[in-house]
Amino acid sequence: MARGGPAWRDGGLHDAAVVAGVVLLLAGLLVGRADVALLGVPALLATVFSRTRPPAGPLEAGEDPAAGEAAGGVESRVHVGGGELAHVRASAAGHRVTEFVARLPAGGRRFGLRLASVRTGPQETAVVDVRGYDGVWEHDPLTVGGTGRLVLPSSMRLGAVPVPRSLRGVTGPRVSRRFGDGNELRDIHPFVPGDRLRRIDWRATARRSPDLDTLYVRRTFADAEAAVMLVVDSRDDVGPDVRTWRGYGEQRVDEATSLDLARHAAASVARALVEHGDRVGLVDLARETRPVPPAAGRRHLRRILHGLALAHPVGQPSPRVRPPQVPADTLVYLFSTVLDDAAAQLVRTWRSLGHQVVVVDTLPDVRPVTEPHLAIAWRIVRMERALRLDRLAREGVPIVSWAGSGRLRAAASLEALARVAARKRDWR
């Protein structure tokens, strides 16, 4: 809450009204026009009335408390009270300045502000400057807003996505290759000690053993669930403009960066798996914290989205002695720009440990570079990156591009990989 002092100051309108009233009175007397002289009387009376009636209270302005996290943009509400009129000026980095004048009722007034942006993660609300007016009185500007918000990433609906070959658990939405309780029939087998009586198939028994010498049971495949780890390479956050990669200039709010694409892609994959009943975990490469273990449920999906929104670069990227440990029998989704050899080395290490890996390329579509020295640097980086991706592809690592121009193709690619995995049961 920002509160002004009890004293308002004269905004200069008092002197102007007095001068205008005196001029009109003198002009009317000089030219002998009573109507002209009477025009100055309201200005003088209003000035006297305003000077004898100071504002009832100080100017107040504040930002209404809101949830610390939201989805779909940065919204805030500002309330202003005290005075008759308010001149409001809202500004935010990357957005144009908005100004308006509003009349204030007795109980004050609230204004809703929303920043249109495709950016996610930690963001700030608009900074609002409020100047109050009450008759001839004027109040110094008050500044409110600029508080932190956490914008959760959005997601797109995906079909089937790749899951690991080895399933886990004794229950779940998928059919495993081992015996157990399930819905998919494996075979009809003679009753042996340990079989449950409710598994007896009386029709098969009557057909194969009319004298009931041998009982037959229906054996099924056990139901299980898949476990997937989402690994977000948040060590860097680059946009479509190569000039901003050096840390100079601001990235546009209407253009998604590589980390925005990584958050969106990871949220989409997590949503598809959780809705199917599978387990999902999260690893942030930039922060040396414990990974979020695989779990299922909508509450856990909210936890994954919160972790994705908090992913951001932390200082200079430090080399890892070993890759993050992921549980056995899990498939790893790596969301990275692959701008250095560290990402490719992580993929090879995980594959050597028996994990299946899918690389999701999150580098945005880079705009053409006009500066000669930057054009040469970007050409070298682009060629080195293409060689890394080509080597990984030749080693059998699926690579899916999630750039703005190929997002729909990425969804189709993931669905095609899922069909291949279901058909071969081993696409490593």
Side-chain angles (χ1 to χ4, degrees), residues 59-390:
L59 178 67
E60 297 181 354
E63 188 177 41
D64 293 344
E69 60 183 39
V74 181
E75 297 183 358
S76 60
R77 290 180 61 85
V78 175
H79 63 270
V80 181
E84 296 179 349
L85 296 176
H87 179 198
V88 181
R89 181 179 183 270
S91 60
H95 298 79
R96 68 175 182 269
V97 178
T98 301
E99 298 186 55
F100 58 91
V101 177
R103 181 175 295 276
L104 301 179
R109 192 168 182 177
R110 281 175 167 78
F111 308 97
L113 303 175
R114 186 178 189 278
L115 301 179
S117 174
V118 298
R119 306 295 302 278
T120 56
Q123 304 290 329
E124 291 185 353
T125 60
V127 177
V128 180
D129 299 321
V130 181
R131 184 187 294 271
Y133 298 93
D134 193 338
V136 298
W137 303 98
E138 178 182 347
H139 203 286
D140 291 332
L142 301 179
T143 301
V144 297
T147 58
R149 293 286 192 275
L150 190 64
V151 180
L152 302 180
S154 61
S155 61
M156 62 181 294
R157 184 169 294 277
L158 300 176
V161 295
V163 295
R165 179 187 72 258
S166 301
L167 304 178
R168 57 170 57 184
V170 295
T171 182
R174 302 183 184 275
V175 179
S176 66
R177 296 293 97 184
R178 65 178 185 275
F179 296 126
D181 291 334
N183 297 319
E184 184 170 336
L185 177 65
R186 184 182 186 275
D187 58 9
I188 302 296
H189 193 271
F191 184 88
V192 296
D195 288 337
R196 297 183 178 181
L197 296 178
R198 65 185 181 88
R199 290 290 182 182
I200 297 176
D201 190 335
W202 294 106
R203 291 185 178 180
T205 300
R207 184 172 59 253
R208 296 187 179 188
S209 179
D211 299 332
L212 298 181
D213 295 335
T214 303
L215 299 178
Y216 288 88
V217 296
R218 296 170 59 90
R219 297 196 302 183
T220 58
F221 291 110
D223 293 335
E225 58 190 1
V228 171
M229 289 297 294
L230 308 177
V231 181
V232 179
D233 188 0
S234 58
R235 297 172 301 147
D236 54 12
D237 188 14
V238 297
D241 190 356
V242 178
R243 294 174 297 180
T244 61
W245 294 12
R246 300 176 296 177
Y248 300 101
E250 295 183 356
Q251 296 173 346
R252 295 173 51 177
V253 297
D254 59 342
E255 292 180 340
T257 64
S258 61
L259 196 49
D260 294 325
L261 295 179
R263 295 189 186 108
H264 181 267
S268 301
V269 174
R271 175 185 175 187
L273 292 169
V274 169
E275 289 182 348
H276 198 272
D278 295 317
R279 305 169 70 88
V280 185
L282 177 64
V283 176
D284 185 359
L285 292 182
R287 299 192 300 170
E288 297 182 357
T289 57
R290 297 182 60 183
V292 179
R298 294 190 175 277
R299 186 174 181 179
H300 182 70
L301 177 60
R302 184 76 177 187
R303 184 183 180 188
I304 293 293
L305 296 180
H306 187 270
L308 291 174
L310 290 177
H312 65 280
V314 180
Q316 293 294 331
S318 58
R320 282 185 171 269
V321 179
R322 61 179 183 179
Q325 295 184 355
V326 297
D329 299 332
T330 58
L331 183 145
V332 178
Y333 283 86
L334 176 61
F335 305 88
S336 175
T337 57
V338 200
L339 289 175
D340 57 8
D341 294 327
Q345 186 61 34
L346 288 176
V347 173
R348 294 187 177 94
T349 304
W350 278 321
R351 285 173 57 82
S352 66
L353 296 176
H355 295 285
Q356 306 159 13
V357 183
V358 176
V359 176
V360 180
D361 181 13
T362 59
L363 184 69
D365 295 332
V366 178
R367 294 200 299 266
V369 183
T370 56
E371 292 83 349
H373 61 288
L374 287 180
I376 295 175
W378 164 237
R379 183 179 179 184
I380 295 174
V381 172
R382 182 180 58 190
M383 294 175 62
E384 292 177 347
R385 178 176 175 276
L387 289 175
R388 295 189 195 97
L389 293 176
D390 184 63

